[in-house]
Amino acid sequence: SQKIEQNSEALNIQEGKTATLTCNYTNYSPAYLQWYRQDPGRGPVFLLLIRENEKEKRKERLKVTFDTTLKQSLFHITASQPADSATYLCALVFGNTGKLIFGQGTTLQVKP
Amino acid sequence: DTEVTQTPKHLVMGMTNKKSLKCEQHMGHRAMYWYKQKAKKPPELMFVYSYEKLSINESVPSRFSPECPNSSLLNLHLHALQPEDSALYLCASSQAITVAGNQPQHFGDGTRLSIL
């Protein structure tokens, strides 16, 4: 069955550094991969979507890469700030179903 | 503030009660979803509605009954729930589901449900 994994449950970094989060998937070849942010007690918020033929996508301080050979996506936050502290979820959509499968999430803590 | 509104924010109910969760969006989205999220776990899909018709039921027990009265509203009717059903229930919506599957989903902030 399809599987999506985020390597770290938690990541602690110093303010100003770059945070890098990893998402790996198996037994599937998605056309798209999405990243969401979730704050405690809130619903996930969509951040970025990347297509299989895009190597990299950027939005302000965020950058996502998608390597279909390695079956891996990397999510980078540059010049991190304490306000970036949250849980980040990667997700795959299965074809034309709308079914979104999430990784376990990585909780990022940015310390001042 | 999110564009998907869920009510109530919190709900405590006994195992014999009947209650409903409500979700509303006015973004013109034609797909709506229910997810269940336990503490420190990712959201898990329960149901998908596309153009007001149920398209996916992820083998959810019949004590959960979804309803989509119109394109803006989604309900989840609850009856005879078990303590293990205590969780955060999230509603989401998206543009119409496409073959490509590239539609971001917009989530509400959920209903925190506790079963006594």
Side-chain angles (χ1 to χ4, degrees):
Chain A
S1 63
Q2 302 88 358
K3 198 173 180 182
I4 180 167
E5 288 183 340
Q6 293 184 244
N7 286 11
S8 302
E9 280 192 19
L11 180 64
N12 297 311
I13 64 168
Q14 208 65 34
E15 183 176 7
K17 300 292 186 184
T18 296
T20 299
L21 285 63
T22 304
C23 178
N24 295 291
Y25 59 92
T26 57
N27 299 328
Y28 189 63
S29 296
Y32 293 87
L33 189 143
Q34 303 181 11
W35 283 88
Y36 289 79
R37 168 183 172 144
Q38 187 172 24
D39 290 282
R42 306 294 300 271
V45 174
F46 171 75
L47 295 174
L48 280 169
L49 177 153
I50 187 164
R51 293 188 309 199
E52 61 178 341
N53 61 355
E54 291 179 312
K55 296 290 185 189
E56 180 179 299
K57 194 121 178 232
R58 292 175 185 261
K59 179 183 175 182
E60 298 172 352
R61 293 184 296 110
L62 308 181
K63 183 177 86 171
V64 173
T65 63
F66 195 8
D67 188 325
T68 54
T69 302
L70 293 178
K71 293 186 179 291
Q72 181 180 80
S73 176
L74 299 179
F75 178 83
H76 306 272
I77 306 175
T78 58
S80 60
Q81 305 165 0
D84 296 325
S85 299
T87 296
Y88 292 86
L89 299 156
C90 65
L92 301 177
V93 178
F94 287 94
N96 62 347
T97 69
K99 179 175 176 177
L100 199 61
I101 303 295
F102 287 94
Q104 293 295 310
T106 296
T107 298
L108 174 67
Q109 184 77 31
V110 181
K111 298 185 178 179
Chain B
D1 289 342
T2 61
E3 296 170 308
V4 175
T5 304
Q6 291 188 243
T7 55
K9 292 189 184 306
H10 302 276
L11 179 62
V12 179
M13 56 187 287
M15 289 189 283
T16 58
N17 293 155
K18 284 186 181 181
K19 296 285 185 183
S20 296
L21 309 185
K22 296 186 183 301
C23 174
E24 190 168 4
Q25 57 88 15
H26 294 288
M27 294 179 281
H29 289 168
R30 302 311 300 269
M32 296 187 77
Y33 312 79
W34 280 115
Y35 290 84
K36 174 182 178 180
Q37 187 174 27
K38 301 283 270 185
K40 304 213 180 287
K41 297 290 186 184
E44 292 183 351
L45 183 69
M46 299 173 72
F47 303 104
V48 179
Y49 272 84
S50 178
Y51 291 94
E52 295 95 68
K53 294 192 186 308
L54 183 65
S55 59
I56 295 180
N57 175 341
E58 289 287 288
S59 302
V60 179
S62 60
R63 57 186 184 270
F64 295 91
S65 176
E67 178 195 21
C68 191
N70 59 57
S71 61
S72 300
L73 293 174
L74 186 66
N75 298 320
L76 186 63
H77 303 297
L78 314 173
H79 174 54
L81 295 194
Q82 304 297 309
E84 60 265 28
D85 296 322
S86 298
L88 181 68
Y89 288 84
L90 293 162
C91 172
S93 69
S94 74
Q95 299 282 0
I97 295 167
T98 65
V99 173
N102 63 339
Q103 303 300 336
Q105 294 186 14
H106 298 251
F107 286 81
D109 284 334
T111 294
R112 177 75 58 188
L113 178 65
S114 298
I115 307 300
L116 300 180

